[in-house]
Amino acid sequence: MAHVSDLPCDGDGMCMLCKEKPPEEERLLCRTCVTPWHVACLTVKPETLASVADWECPDCSAPPPTADAGILAAAAAAAGVTGASAGSSGELIAAIRVIEADATLSEAEKARRRQRLLGGDGGAEGEVQTRGCGGESDCASFRCSICIEILDRPVTTPCGHNFCLKCFEKWIKQGGHSCAKCRAPIPSKMKSQPRINLAIVAAVRMARAKSTPSGADPSKVYHFVHNQNRPDKAYTTERAKRAGKANAASGKIFVTIAPDHFGPILAENDPIRNQGVLVGESWEDRLECRQWGAHLPHVAGIAGQSGYGAQSVALSGGYEDDEDHGEWFLYTGSGGRDLSGNKRTNKEQSFDQKFEKLNEALRISCKKGYPVRVVRSHKEKRSSYAPEGGVRYDGIYRIEKCWRKAGTQGFKVCRYLFVRCDNEPAPWTSETHGDRPRPLPVIKELKGATDVCERKETPAWDFDENEDVWKWTKPSPLSRKPALVHNVDDNTMTVLRRSYKKSARQRIPREFSCLICQKLMTQPLTTPCAHNFCKACLEGVFVGQSFVRERTRGGRTLRTQKNIMNCPTCQLI
């Protein structure tokens, strides 16, 4: 073993003895463990320049215990196959020397095997027990650098190290301004707006899928659309390309749903791909999102009808009162801003919001328990769950409560509590299953809220314990708008419109109906202003009125005056 005065350099290159960082020419690398040492602080320095290349540190220069070929072979197998560390220091040194002596290995492979051998974390397959990974060693490489657990909502720093979102936020709150692993500086934008790395989420999910039973369907785990499955661009004309997407057309719809369709878009509504709209599917912008029915309005954040309900919402950072926590979020209603003239991007509140129009549609979905599709846009800069670019479909949510309160700008706003209830896992989680019923979060702002509305009846979209799925427990609302129908012969979409059986009188053109009784005219009369009436209807309007009136003054008779009869429709003479 090394003398008490012999200590190597640490990971930052600082000598652990003199606490100084020696220059490159004053450092020696051990040929066995490749550890840097400060020459000036060594008790026994190399005597000649030729001995520097074969120099061994005090830890490795101690003669190992007697080892026969079997021990060396076992050490070599441990280093090359399983990566487990040897039982004693002598076997460890022998295993490292076997690795260095292997001419078939590259320098990078030698370094990896030395690290695996010295780290002692690559034991036999199945020995690594990590959080929620079913004991699979495939997940061991996806561990947080702080909590050393499997990454949960992973965040990647510019230096390439991965952390759980909660661990990263806690590190930043404690005053951390650099990477907790390598001390590389972290940009201020990332400290305030960390984004989840969906590529690592997918990798962890695939690794976990290997531990699922053989009867499970792995195709339901990995939900990401490929480029060849992306829809056509929403604008195709040269004028639209020159002027940008402000002049773009919405493009054709690829799903056979009505505009007021509630709930997920299933495979039977997708004749193009036969898979429906999958959780995690993303588009370039809101125009392409509309083409697949996830959220139809181009600009508005709420899709719905007052008196009927809301089908979908978009999180795009429109209101600073919004709070996004992934599985649940607080959403602010629409309105309260002056958008007259050219103030289409005004973000200043000027009056209170009310439960009317689209806000009332959300409140109806809250009372009925209807499923609401949610898409997140990259424009939401305050949320860690927003995508890096474009628009992403994040699944089904349900509105549990709604209320009104004074917002950050002083005016009252309508607030809604959304909770996720989808059968597929969220894009930011590594779980392989969907949501389960969860307790509602504690909302502090409810103490001073007004017009609080909670659902009192059984929700229409609820969790079935027997089938272990979220589904309609009540019949879904009947669509009031025409849906699309897929024509198999020519592979086109046509609008399915309801046909009503009309009587012969109802099919009469409007020009031949009376403007008073709205029925087919009998004994028609036409006024000088060209309006048509039934004779009986027109006479009924002027019943009791004389065409002339007599005038008198003080007993003296004046000239008779005619009464003016105006048209009942346009009030012309």
Side-chain angles (χ1 to χ4, degrees):
M1 295 297 293
H3 191 267
V4 68
S5 62
D6 291 330
L7 293 175
C9 299
D10 60 12
D12 295 329
M14 302 289 293
C15 178
M16 300 174 65
L17 192 63
C18 64
K19 305 300 181 184
E20 294 181 359
K21 188 173 184 179
E24 190 70 26
E25 58 272 11
E26 294 185 10
R27 286 192 300 172
L28 276 178
L29 290 179
C30 175
R31 73 177 182 89
T32 301
C33 62
V34 200
T35 305
W37 294 73
H38 188 192
V39 178
C41 297
L42 287 174
T43 304
V44 180
K45 303 178 179 60
E47 298 178 355
T48 62
L49 187 62
S51 62
V52 172
D54 296 330
W55 179 80
E56 288 185 334
C57 67
D59 290 332
C60 298
S61 59
T66 303
D68 55 13
I71 295 179
L72 294 178
V81 178
T82 64
S85 58
S88 65
S89 59
E91 294 178 359
L92 179 64
I93 295 172
I96 294 177
R97 288 175 176 172
V98 170
I99 293 175
E100 293 297 328
D102 192 347
T104 61
L105 300 178
S106 62
E107 293 299 325
E109 182 62 26
K110 289 180 181 180
R112 281 194 296 269
R113 296 198 178 190
R114 284 196 307 267
Q115 183 179 7
R116 196 160 59 235
L117 185 66
L118 294 173
D121 60 347
E125 186 175 359
E127 294 180 0
V128 179
Q129 298 296 332
T130 51
R131 176 181 58 198
C133 202
E136 287 291 334
S137 59
D138 294 332
C139 296
S141 58
F142 302 110
R143 288 187 287 178
C144 173
S145 299
I146 295 179
C147 66
I148 318 299
E149 297 286 351
I150 293 299
L151 289 165
D152 181 33
R153 294 165 171 82
V155 175
T156 304
T157 57
C159 54
H161 294 118
N162 303 314
F163 306 92
C164 301
L165 177 61
K166 289 185 178 180
C167 296
F168 181 81
E169 291 177 341
K170 185 177 180 180
W171 170 259
I172 296 300
K173 288 180 180 179
Q174 292 176 350
H177 300 288
S178 58
C179 175
K181 184 73 173 178
C182 66
R183 304 301 178 185
I186 299 177
S188 58
K189 183 178 180 180
M190 182 178 182
K191 289 190 291 185
S192 59
Q193 302 172 7
R195 292 298 175 94
I196 295 173
N197 191 332
L198 297 184
I200 296 181
V201 171
V204 175
R205 189 181 296 176
M206 292 179 66
R208 284 180 169 173
K210 294 182 180 180
S211 61
T212 58
S214 58
D217 185 6
S219 63
K220 295 183 178 179
V221 177
Y222 190 65
H223 295 317
F224 285 93
V225 62
H226 298 284
N227 289 332
Q228 63 267 22
N229 293 330
R230 292 293 179 94
D232 298 331
K233 294 294 182 181
Y235 62 102
T236 56
T237 62
E238 291 298 326
R239 178 185 176 187
K241 291 180 180 179
R242 289 196 305 268
K245 297 200 174 180
N247 248 355
S250 61
K252 58 183 179 181
I253 305 297
F254 295 115
V255 290
T256 59
I257 63 168
D260 53 359
H261 170 78
F262 285 90
I265 301 173
L266 304 176
E268 55 262 28
N269 303 123
D270 182 8
I272 305 298
R273 304 175 303 182
N274 295 318
Q275 67 179 13
V277 178
L278 305 177
V279 173
E281 191 166 351
S282 58
W283 304 275
E284 182 181 352
D285 50 29
R286 293 272 292 271
L287 290 171
E288 292 191 14
C289 175
R290 169 186 170 82
Q291 291 183 273
W292 292 96
H295 184 68
L296 292 177
H298 293 167
V299 178
I302 306 172
Q305 304 81 31
S306 61
Y308 188 61
Q311 294 85 33
S312 61
V313 297
L315 299 178
S316 55
Y319 289 86
E320 52 188 71
D321 297 273
D322 292 350
E323 297 181 21
D324 192 0
H325 299 272
E327 281 75 15
W328 64 274
F329 60 88
L330 296 179
Y331 189 76
T332 306
S334 64
R337 295 172 176 175
D338 182 14
L339 299 179
S340 60
N342 59 352
K343 301 177 183 178
R344 304 306 302 174
T345 58
N346 183 22
K347 292 191 175 182
E348 297 295 329
Q349 295 286 129
S350 55
F351 54 92
D352 294 340
Q353 291 183 358
K354 299 180 181 179
F355 284 116
E356 58 183 13
K357 299 180 180 178
L358 294 176
N359 294 338
E360 178 63 18
L362 288 175
R363 185 163 70 164
I364 289 177
S365 291
C366 174
K367 293 178 180 179
K368 302 291 186 180
Y370 291 155
V372 181
R373 297 185 299 274
V374 173
V375 297
R376 282 180 171 86
S377 171
H378 72 284
K379 295 182 180 179
E380 177 54 273
K381 303 299 182 183
R382 301 183 302 263
S383 173
S384 300
Y385 300 89
E388 289 287 347
V391 183
R392 186 186 66 215
Y393 173 60
D394 287 345
I396 296 297
Y397 285 69
R398 198 172 61 187
I399 307 174
E400 301 296 338
K401 294 182 181 180
C402 59
W403 62 92
R404 289 206 309 158
K405 76 160 189 94
T408 56
Q409 298 185 15
F411 295 93
K412 284 190 175 182
V413 293
C414 299
R415 301 279 280 167
Y416 304 88
L417 171 61
F418 282 75
V419 178
R420 196 174 191 274
C421 51
D422 198 283
N423 291 317
E424 301 298 331
W428 54 83
T429 180
S430 303
E431 299 294 337
T432 57
H433 58 79
D435 297 295
R436 297 293 185 271
R438 53 173 60 89
L440 298 182
V442 178
I443 309 299
K444 296 181 180 179
E445 66 182 59
L446 277 173
K447 295 181 179 179
T450 59
D451 302 328
V452 179
C453 175
E454 297 185 34
R455 183 173 54 255
K456 298 181 180 179
E457 58 182 282
T458 304
W461 177 268
D462 204 0
F463 188 76
D464 191 327
E465 297 287 349
N466 297 327
E467 301 182 17
D468 197 33
V469 294
W470 295 88
K471 67 175 187 178
W472 288 99
T473 57
K474 297 180 180 179
S476 60
L478 294 176
S479 175
R480 303 185 301 179
K481 297 185 178 182
L484 294 177
V485 174
H486 179 242
N487 300 323
V488 181
D489 297 334
D490 54 359
N491 197 26
T492 59
M493 297 281 193
T494 56
V495 178
L496 175 62
R497 300 187 182 276
R498 294 189 182 94
S499 60
Y500 298 95
K501 186 177 181 180
K502 298 181 179 180
S503 63
R505 179 167 294 186
Q506 289 175 325
R507 293 195 297 269
I508 301 258
R510 187 178 182 84
E511 291 80 5
F512 295 97
S513 60
C514 173
L515 295 177
I516 296 177
C517 65
Q518 301 297 324
K519 296 180 180 179
L520 182 63
M521 291 183 293
T522 57
Q523 296 180 324
L525 294 176
T526 303
T527 60
C529 54
H531 290 123
N532 303 314
F533 305 94
C534 301
K535 180 180 180 181
C537 295
L538 188 60
E539 290 177 346
V541 172
F542 303 113
V543 66
Q545 299 183 29
S546 60
F547 290 94
V548 296
R549 67 185 180 95
E550 301 291 339
R551 298 186 301 159
T552 60
R553 176 180 293 179
R556 185 166 61 94
T557 303
L558 299 179
R559 183 180 297 177
T560 301
Q561 189 178 40
K562 290 183 178 181
N563 284 327
I564 305 300
M565 303 296 181
N566 296 330
C567 173
T569 300
C570 63
Q571 298 300 315
L572 293 178
I573 300 175

